[in-house]
Amino acid sequence: SLASTAITCFTRGLDLRKGTEDVLCPANCPLWQFYVFGDGVYASLSSVCGAAIHSGVITNTGGAVRVQTLPGQENYPAVNANGIQSQVLSRWASSFSVTAGPKSTALEAVGRSVSTARPSTGKRPKKTLDKKAGNKDCKADIAFLIDGSYNIGQRRFNLQKNFVGKVAVMLGIGTEGPHVGVVQASEHPKIEFYLKNFTATKEVLFAIKELGFRGGNSNTGKALKYTAQKFFSLENGARKGIPKIIVVFLDGWPSDDLEEAGIVAREFGVNVFIVSVAKPTTEELGMVQDIGFVDKAVCRNNGFFSYQMPTWFGTTKYVKPLVQKLCSHEQMLCSKTCYNSVNIGFLIDGSSSIGESNFRLVLEFVSNVAKAFEISDIGSKVAAVQFTYDQRTEFGFTDFVSKDKVLSAIRGIRYMSGGTATGDAISFTTRNVFGPVKDGPNKNFLIVLTDGQSYDDVRGPAAAAQKAGITVFSVGVAWAPLDDLKDMASEPRESHTFFTREFTGLEQMVPDIIRGICKDFLDSKQ
């Protein structure tokens, strides 16, 4: 049977639809990125493959896993096992357990797994039927930033071209596969061809063959910054939702600084790989401006994004491992996703009708939403404002740049108790909390939580917030009037308005809010 579904490193229990589901986990998921809550029984917010490795059902080479949906529970424990530290969760609406999946289906389904994309070598007859489409399993828009400096010289420049050609062949370029372009770094960068120019391997190979050596200093930093800013525009052929990658080839070392270029690339959502060839020897180190140049330029300094070849001779064996890296889109940590590119402001009702114990449930809801996002200085950011008749900024978007600090700040919010002026509070938050970040790269979301009728008009302030580029979700509990909730929510109102009679019902909404944010984020891209 072909019952197994290929899933990604990040598929969570709550993303699966059936009570019992056979899934296939890809190989080489980054262990440190897994979010897993519990031990043996896992909260459905957990990564399925992460839970499977944590419980010892599979190793990091992937494999078949059977996922069984279970009811929610309280107090999921934190346990360190098999290289994964699971986290505590006080309660969640549903759980799952993992056991070894059926072996026979794993072999049949292996070709369908997205993140273990095997580069097309043209050996499999299935692939050759649809040569034009290319390797659909490999989703990437790639700029090869080649070294055209005097460092490399004419002879090795030609070997570099051969190597890039081999990588291009193995990638399986095609209309629905990877698209590539080339930029040459020397004194000044030159875009040789764009993503949109060729979608067939044959044309790309011809274009690479025709490249002329420019010579000059190896101003790789300048070229990297230029490529990150100019190369990936929609009019030049970049595709929505496809990871943007720059593969920098460097013979020796750069003549300029790479640090600023690395920061710009990350800000633009570009994943930078560095392929360093003939890296500086001990005698040459004195001439190198900054010995740590690789670490400063790559997307993340975790070993995945740097690649070394001793020389330009005999490089064939290096082609396949590089292609496998370029095709594992799960590992492209610098791509803009809803998890790493949003600002979420929580506007929390502190009125006296809520009471201390329900207020804790509200904070738990806020934590559980925040927890799903990758909070960092270059990632997503969270802010919170509490309101009665007055408003109090609990913390702004730039106050805490790590998830742990944000979560402990949420836990530390003190209940105010008082009246309810929601309209004023929305205006206050739009101006004081979102104002400072309105020109930043992240998409802005406001989640308004209230349990009652506002004493002032909410429609005007909410419209002004939306006009300022903020997407508003309204979450009402108990006595919150549905009309107010709808008036505050962004269009389409049905999917941005949430209501529950009891405070304990907030928890069930968490996955829907997270999904709603991600849907809006994707819809807004370009």
Side-chain angles (χ1 to χ4, degrees):
S1 77
L2 275 179
S4 295
T5 316
I7 60 173
T8 72
C9 300
F10 302 124
T11 305
R12 296 170 293 184
L14 55 85
D15 298 322
L16 301 178
R17 289 279 168 261
K18 301 181 196 139
T20 305
E21 193 149 350
D22 287 324
V23 298
L24 273 170
C25 287
N28 305 324
C29 290
L31 291 186
W32 50 276
Q33 267 196 295
F34 279 133
Y35 283 110
V36 175
F37 303 90
D39 180 36
V41 173
Y42 300 95
S44 61
L45 194 60
S46 308
S47 149
V48 173
C49 299
I53 295 174
H54 183 264
S55 64
V57 170
I58 57 170
T59 63
N60 205 18
T61 55
V65 177
R66 177 161 284 176
V67 184
Q68 179 73 46
T69 304
L70 301 168
Q73 62 170 50
E74 303 208 339
N75 302 326
Y76 295 91
V79 174
N80 196 331
N82 299 317
I84 293 176
Q85 172 65 57
S86 73
Q87 302 179 47
V88 177
L89 192 56
S90 54
R91 65 159 85 90
W92 194 251
S94 59
S95 316
F96 65 86
S97 65
V98 284
T99 50
K103 286 287 174 284
S104 60
T105 54
L107 295 172
E108 294 168 35
V110 88
R112 304 209 315 268
S113 167
V114 186
S115 27
T116 47
R118 240 168 251 72
S120 141
T121 51
K123 289 220 178 66
R124 281 181 295 178
K126 256 208 337 253
K127 278 279 192 277
T128 45
L129 291 178
D130 201 355
K131 200 80 175 287
K132 264 232 274 301
N135 180 6
K136 295 182 195 167
D137 286 341
C138 181
K139 295 272 185 261
D141 280 343
I142 303 171
F144 290 115
L145 180 52
I146 62 173
D147 189 337
S149 68
Y150 291 136
N151 269 4
I152 190 169
Q154 178 75 62
R155 176 186 178 195
R156 295 198 305 250
F157 181 78
N158 287 337
L159 291 171
Q160 174 182 230
K161 290 199 315 190
N162 288 348
F163 181 75
V164 172
K166 284 177 188 161
V167 171
V169 169
M170 195 170 245
L171 277 168
I173 294 163
T175 49
E176 295 172 57
H179 290 180
V180 306
V182 170
V183 183
Q184 186 172 170
S186 55
E187 197 68 46
H188 306 290
K190 174 172 188 244
I191 296 180
E192 302 282 4
F193 58 91
Y194 287 103
L195 294 164
K196 64 174 180 194
N197 294 132
F198 312 111
T199 52
T201 309
K202 226 171 41 224
E203 299 168 347
V204 168
L205 284 178
F206 183 74
I208 291 171
K209 210 165 149 177
E210 293 297 295
L211 295 173
F213 174 59
R214 295 171 66 84
N217 281 323
S218 80
N219 288 331
T220 312
K222 184 176 173 183
L224 178 55
K225 185 175 167 186
Y226 180 81
T227 308
Q229 290 171 321
K230 301 271 189 285
F231 183 84
F232 294 101
S233 65
L234 288 176
E235 52 278 15
N236 289 331
R239 295 168 290 176
K240 288 184 196 177
I242 302 279
K244 302 176 173 66
I245 298 173
I246 299 176
V247 183
V248 179
F249 289 96
L250 240 180
D251 188 297
W253 60 91
S255 330
D256 61 352
D257 183 46
L258 293 188
E259 188 163 15
E260 191 205 348
I263 293 168
V264 169
R266 290 190 285 275
E267 280 174 354
F268 274 82
V270 176
N271 299 277
V272 176
F273 283 79
I274 297 237
V275 177
S276 50
V277 184
K279 66 178 212 284
T281 61
T282 327
E283 299 91 320
E284 291 173 320
L285 283 177
M287 303 180 241
V288 183
Q289 233 186 332
D290 179 358
I291 299 171
F293 63 85
V294 171
D295 293 346
K296 295 198 171 139
V298 288
C299 160
R300 286 277 197 292
N301 182 7
N302 61 359
F304 183 76
F305 294 93
S306 45
Y307 198 67
Q308 282 183 6
M309 302 197 297
T311 103
W312 287 109
F313 298 94
T315 53
T316 308
K317 63 174 179 293
Y318 293 99
V319 174
K320 191 174 175 187
L322 178 60
V323 168
Q324 277 169 333
K325 284 183 185 240
L326 300 181
C327 289
S328 26
H329 67 268
E330 289 305 337
Q331 310 243 28
M332 299 303 161
L333 304 179
C334 289
S335 294
K336 297 281 186 206
T337 66
C338 66
Y339 296 111
N340 67 19
S341 306
V342 294
N343 296 324
I344 305 174
F346 291 94
L347 183 51
I348 303 166
D349 186 339
S351 60
S352 35
S353 51
I354 291 183
E356 185 72 55
S357 68
N358 284 334
F359 189 72
R360 293 287 126 207
L361 290 174
V362 170
L363 294 184
E364 206 165 289
F365 166 83
V366 171
S367 289
N368 282 335
V369 172
K371 206 177 255 173
F373 293 87
E374 292 162 32
I375 300 164
S376 75
D377 52 346
I378 60 164
S380 290
K381 297 183 177 51
V382 171
V385 172
Q386 187 180 172
F387 72 99
T388 52
Y389 282 141
D390 270 335
Q391 303 86 29
R392 182 169 82 200
T393 301
E394 301 290 355
F395 55 92
F397 285 123
T398 51
D399 291 346
F400 303 110
V401 292
S402 78
K403 186 178 299 195
D404 292 344
K405 293 218 167 76
V406 164
L407 295 176
S408 78
I410 294 169
R411 280 196 297 276
I413 292 175
R414 297 278 155 261
Y415 174 46
M416 281 163 78
S417 186
T420 314
T422 317
D424 261 0
I426 293 173
S427 303
F428 171 89
T429 309
T430 303
R431 187 174 59 248
N432 298 329
V433 176
F434 286 97
V437 296
K438 73 170 191 299
D439 298 324
N442 288 1
K443 182 162 170 54
N444 292 316
F445 291 89
L446 173 63
I447 298 176
V448 182
L449 287 131
T450 178
D451 83 322
Q453 174 90 51
S454 176
Y455 295 104
D456 59 3
D457 167 59
V458 294
R459 188 178 291 182
Q466 291 169 30
K467 205 165 167 206
I470 302 166
T471 302
V472 182
F473 283 87
S474 59
V475 177
V477 189
W479 307 107
L482 203 56
D483 287 348
D484 272 12
L485 295 173
K486 284 217 163 106
D487 282 345
M488 291 187 284
S490 289
E491 298 284 352
R493 295 197 163 152
E494 296 61 59
S495 59
H496 291 82
T497 309
F498 292 84
F499 178 78
T500 171
R501 205 28 85 219
E502 307 289 334
F503 281 89
T504 49
L506 282 170
E507 186 160 23
Q508 272 78 22
M509 295 178 182
V510 172
D512 294 327
I513 300 262
I514 295 167
R515 237 180 247 138
I517 290 172
C518 285
K519 183 177 184 324
D520 288 343
F521 175 83
L522 284 172
D523 292 346
S524 74
K525 275 290 118 225
Q526 287 120 12

